Amino acid sequence: MGVLVLAATPIGDPRDAAPRLAIELADADLIAAEDTRRLRRLLDDLEVAPRGGVTSYHEHNEQSRTAELVDRLRSGDRVVLVTDAGMPSVSDPGYRLVTAAVAAGVRVTCVPGPSAVLMALAVSGLPVDRFCFEGFLPRKAGERSRRLAGLADEKRTMVFFEAPHRLAEALAAMAEAFGADRAAAVCRELTKTYEEVRRGGLAELADWAAEGARGEITVVVAGAPAISSTVEDVLPAIQQRVAAGERLKTVCAEIAAETGLSKKQLYDAALAAR
């Protein structure tokens, strides 16, 4: 059996490439690249002459080419997968190949490296102890609104990718779904010459983006603020759920986890109110 190597590539500055990236590209039996022209530029930057072959692997041929790559892996080849920037399979081709390789019993490893998600989180100034990555929002307004409505109560910091020509619309939709003053950061052209980070409320950022934005965009949005609740606030909800047939202990445990209130206090209050 061979090995599938997911190799992170620089998101802007080629000097960010991990030293091991050059070694893997040079020694691979086959390099599968999202864009072979961009791969050639990267090889030139790293001064690497690969000894193996190069093939394309992108969203338009991913389904058909996966089986070919798995056959190469089964035959013992070391296949290195690279995308245009960042880690393969994170909003880029790769997930389908990883799944097929795992199913075939092939070892999968990776070359760690630059990540727009983690860098944007780090420079955003927003909480990073808990976060979720939401990728690109739907292009159609209705689908986008429904996706954002489902995230309105998300407590974790959220990270999105967005195309520059859709940025203003996306930020305006977020302001409507999350609130105009919800804190956010728009990170543009990370690691590149014109790197820029704009911080502010969603409505303010939407107004700024309406003037036009260029480059690769990552948006970081603060999670929903915690709502302070008292035992008296949640007691009616407990009573309603118990009346509907749920166990009192189970209901109290779930609401305690959601609100931070004491499970014992909730339980005692519910018993006293009977």
Side-chain angles (χ1 to χ4, degrees), residues 58-74:
H58 47 71
E59 61 178 334
H60 302 297
N61 70 1
E62 188 176 7
Q63 187 168 359
S64 61
R65 190 143 294 174
T66 293
E68 299 173 20
L69 295 180
V70 171
D71 286 342
R72 293 287 298 265
L73 290 164
R74 281 199 182 106

Side-chain angles (χ1 to χ4, degrees), residues 47-61:
E47 299 181 345
V48 169
R51 68 174 181 82
V54 173
T55 189
S56 63
Y57 187 77
H58 47 71
E59 61 178 334
H60 302 297
N61 70 1

